[in-house]
Amino acid sequence: MSRFYYSLARSIGRFIGFQTMQIRVLHADRAELSGGFVLASSHLSHLDPCVLSGLMRRKVDWMARIEFYRHHVVALLLKGMDAFPVNRQGVPVKAIRSAIHRTSRGRVIGIFPEGGVVAGVESAMLGGPIRLGACVIAQRAGIPVVPAVVLGSHQMMRVLPWLPWRRIKLRVAFGQPIYPPQSASRRKARLEMGEKLREAYRTLYAELCGEFGISPESGTIWPDKNKR
């Protein structure tokens, strides 16, 4: 039943996107791997999962903050979409185990390594810090991490872009899969993956800025009237 709800929600989202958004995607094929993998995205908006789920052909099981499950209606929606909770306080052992179990069955897990919505100089796209949970899951499950960068999604939380004759501008880029290194030290391998992931965010961000004429200094709060 959850797959039905997911497909229905994605179809509705795609229809809304077609009517109200201008979406450009770079390297969509990189997110079409077979088997399980971790989709690790930047996070400018709580609606980023909706954007990425609508763009990808494969179903994504999103790791969602446990705080969202305190609201009954939201919890039902998340459960219906096969999302699963993560407690950001301490080591999220249960969430990591659930992610490993799901990816071992060939599913895609969606994670936001920044740990929450982050913009400006703290964004991983500008060199800000990330958490290494995605790398831990990939390492233990023997699967790759696919980086993703989404720009413009914060506009979806405002009224003006939804007005008639306006279109929300979204720019998305997927990175090359990052595979766990064959290292004798788990910690060293995890740190190595984390650095590659951080570099991927910076590279994808720069590529989006160059491709679509976005100022690197304002990209994490893009778009504005001076950008295309």
Side-chain angles (χ1 to χ4, degrees):
M1 185 63 72
S2 61
R3 185 169 292 275
F4 168 77
Y5 285 131
Y6 187 94
S7 299
L8 177 62
R10 183 167 59 179
S11 297
I12 294 173
R14 286 179 172 177
F15 175 78
I16 294 173
F18 178 78
Q19 298 295 327
T20 63
M21 301 177 191
Q22 181 194 94
I23 305 175
R24 300 290 184 269
V25 183
L26 301 181
H27 316 303
D29 57 301
R30 295 175 178 174
E32 303 301 335
L33 302 178
S34 60
F37 66 87
V38 177
L39 178 67
S41 175
S42 61
H43 204 15
L44 291 180
S45 166
H46 289 304
L47 295 178
D48 287 329
C50 301
V51 173
L52 290 169
S53 294
L55 291 175
M56 292 183 58
R57 296 180 182 177
R58 297 192 59 186
K59 180 177 177 293
V60 182
D61 295 357
W62 289 98
M63 184 182 288
R65 291 164 47 184
I66 198 170
E67 291 85 353
F68 291 136
Y69 288 82
R70 295 172 182 170
H71 306 282
H72 184 65
V73 174
V74 177
L76 287 176
L77 290 173
L78 290 172
K79 184 177 181 181
M81 299 288 285
D82 274 339
F84 59 103
V86 58
N87 188 341
R88 298 181 299 166
Q89 306 301 320
V91 181
V93 176
K94 185 175 180 180
I96 290 175
R97 287 177 177 172
S98 178
I100 293 172
H101 174 70
R102 293 175 187 229
T103 54
S104 69
R105 297 168 60 189
R107 296 164 77 164
V108 180
I109 299 299
I111 293 179
F112 297 102
E114 290 167 301
V117 173
V118 181
V121 295
E122 296 298 319
S123 171
M125 294 181 283
L126 297 179
I130 63 171
R131 302 183 182 189
L132 299 182
C135 302
V136 172
I137 294 166
Q139 184 183 39
R140 295 183 181 179
I143 57 172
V145 174
V146 175
V149 164
V150 181
L151 297 182
S153 55
H154 68 291
Q155 294 289 315
M156 299 168 67
M157 307 297 291
R158 302 173 182 175
V159 175
L160 186 61
W162 294 99
L163 296 178
W165 312 112
R166 300 293 293 267
R167 280 187 177 268
I168 297 170
K169 296 180 180 179
L170 297 177
R171 303 292 182 259
V172 182
F174 295 97
Q176 293 284 1
I178 302 171
Y179 290 85
Q182 300 299 315
S183 173
S185 167
R186 285 188 175 184
R187 182 176 183 277
K188 181 179 179 181
R190 187 164 60 248
L191 292 174
E192 184 178 332
M193 284 194 75
E195 185 52 41
K196 288 182 178 179
L197 182 57
R198 291 180 70 239
E199 178 60 29
Y201 287 137
R202 294 191 293 267
T203 300
L204 291 173
Y205 176 67
E207 186 175 6
L208 283 172
C209 288
E211 181 72 19
F212 298 108
I214 303 168
S215 168
E217 293 76 18
S218 63
T220 55
I221 56 171
W222 177 86
D224 63 36
K225 62 182 180 180
N226 296 318
K227 309 297 181 290
R228 62 182 175 91

